[in-house]
Structures are given as structure tokens and as C-alpha cells.
Amino acid sequence: MMLLKDRSNQQIYMENGKLYRAKDVFNKQIAHFPNSYSGHYFLGKIHASQGSVKDAESEFQRALELMRERLEPKFELIDLYKNRGESAKVI
């Protein structure tokens, strides 16, 4: 089983539109490494791109719990909340 650990392989799947493959790989990564920041973050990106807003929110929240200092999941959550008209959550 191949688990992606470096960002370049993860990005290749996503950039080439192979979201179904990337989603599968990230789910496997999280199954083996539940505290994987990158697994949760990128899975959130995939869910967001597919319109699965609740799942995206959950993954970004988990990524944020794992690494509070990272800004990426915060920005993604802000975008999700703004797009849903939930400006109060942004503050």
C-alpha cells in the first residue's frame, strides 16, 4: 500500500484532476496516521472542491486541532463560512 508522505505526490493527484484517487489515498493515510495534518487538510480541500461542505469543514477543523499555528485551514474555514453566509463564524 502506498501512503503519500510528501506534498509533491499529493499535489500531483490533485492537480491532475484525479480527486477520486487522491481522496482514497488520503483516507488510507488518515486510517494509518489519524493525526496526519496533511491528510486532513488535503482531504478537506477535496471535499470542498466537490461541494461536500460539511465534510470539508470537519477535515479543516481536525487539521486545525492538530496544528493550531497553521494558517491554511483557517483561511479555508473562512472561505467556507463566507460562502455559506455565516460571517459571524469568521470573527
Side-chain angles (χ1 to χ4, degrees):
M1 172 187 337
M2 179 183 72
L3 296 177
L4 298 180
K5 291 186 180 176
D6 69 271
R7 202 167 186 189
S8 62
N9 284 341
Q10 296 165 341
Q11 287 176 335
I12 289 170
Y13 280 131
M14 292 177 71
E15 289 170 2
N16 289 326
K18 296 182 180 180
L19 296 181
Y20 64 92
R21 177 69 179 126
K23 191 174 182 179
D24 181 54
V25 171
F26 290 123
N27 278 321
K28 288 178 182 174
Q29 181 176 347
I30 291 170
H32 286 83
F33 306 101
N35 294 329
S36 168
Y37 165 82
S38 64
H40 288 285
Y41 174 73
F42 284 109
L43 194 53
K45 299 263 305 169
I46 293 169
H47 285 307
S49 73
Q50 295 177 328
S52 301
V53 179
K54 293 267 187 206
D55 291 332
E57 180 181 15
S58 176
E59 294 299 338
F60 292 139
Q61 288 285 1
R62 182 65 182 127
L64 193 54
E65 289 171 8
L66 292 169
M67 296 187 81
R68 290 247 176 241
E69 69 278 4
R70 297 299 298 256
L71 296 177
E72 297 92 343
K74 294 176 185 179
F75 290 136
E76 297 292 345
L77 286 167
I78 288 169
D79 284 343
L80 287 178
Y81 296 146
K82 283 173 41 180
N83 290 337
R84 290 192 317 203
E86 297 179 11
S87 300
K89 285 189 174 183
V90 174
I91 301 171

